[in-house]
Every structure is written in C-alpha cells, then in structure tokens.
C-alpha cells in the first residue's frame, strides 16, 4: 500500500511495423465476418510509469 497518491502513465517508447503476411477477420455487416490478407503488424512497446511513493515494492504489505 502506498502512503501517498500515485500516478500511472503509459509511455510508448518504440513503434514499428513488422512485415508479415497474415489473415485477419473483420466485421462484414451485422452478422458476418470477412477474411482479409494483411501485410504487416503494428508493434508498440510501452512501459507503465508509476510516480509517487516508491519506498515499498509493489505487493508488499508493509
């Protein structure tokens, strides 16, 4: 438990496209799905920044 309020913020540190042919299913109207060939996957690398009282490790009961 933290003795002061902590803030959490997701920070994106890296973004790139991994080129790889693969199929995905997208909505096609109200009841159907359509198979679509995609050429890449968007990759985001993020960290969860926590600011505040960091005296105790997360999950400790002190």
């Amino acid at each position: 438990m933290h003795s002061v309020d902590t803030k959490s913020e997701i920070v994106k540190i890296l973004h790139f496209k991994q080129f790889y042919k693969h199929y995905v299913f997208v909505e096609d109207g109200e009841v159907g799905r359509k198979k679509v060939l995609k050429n890449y996957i968007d990759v985001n690398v993020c960290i969860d920044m926590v600011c505040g009282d960091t005296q105790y490790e997360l999950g400790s009961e002190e």
Side-chain angles (χ1 to χ4, degrees), residues 6 8 11 13 16 21-24 26 39-42 44 46-47 50-51 53-56 60:
T6 59
S8 179
V11 178
I13 59 174
F16 63 91
K21 289 187 179 183
H22 65 286
Y23 287 98
V24 296
V26 294
N39 292 322
Y40 63 88
I41 300 171
D42 280 314
N44 291 308
C46 302
I47 57 173
V50 178
C51 299
D53 182 10
T54 58
Q55 180 179 1
Y56 303 108
S60 67

Side-chain angles (χ1 to χ4, degrees), residues 34-50:
K34 182 177 176 182
K35 187 165 71 169
V36 177
L37 178 65
K38 297 286 186 175
N39 292 322
Y40 63 88
I41 300 171
D42 280 314
V43 178
N44 291 308
V45 178
C46 302
I47 57 173
D48 185 7
M49 295 276 294
V50 178

Side-chain angles (χ1 to χ4, degrees), residues 9-27:
E9 180 179 348
I10 302 295
V11 178
K12 182 169 37 171
I13 59 174
L14 180 64
H15 172 254
F16 63 91
K17 292 184 182 204
Q18 175 68 42
F19 291 94
Y20 177 75
K21 289 187 179 183
H22 65 286
Y23 287 98
V24 296
F25 292 94
V26 294
E27 295 291 326

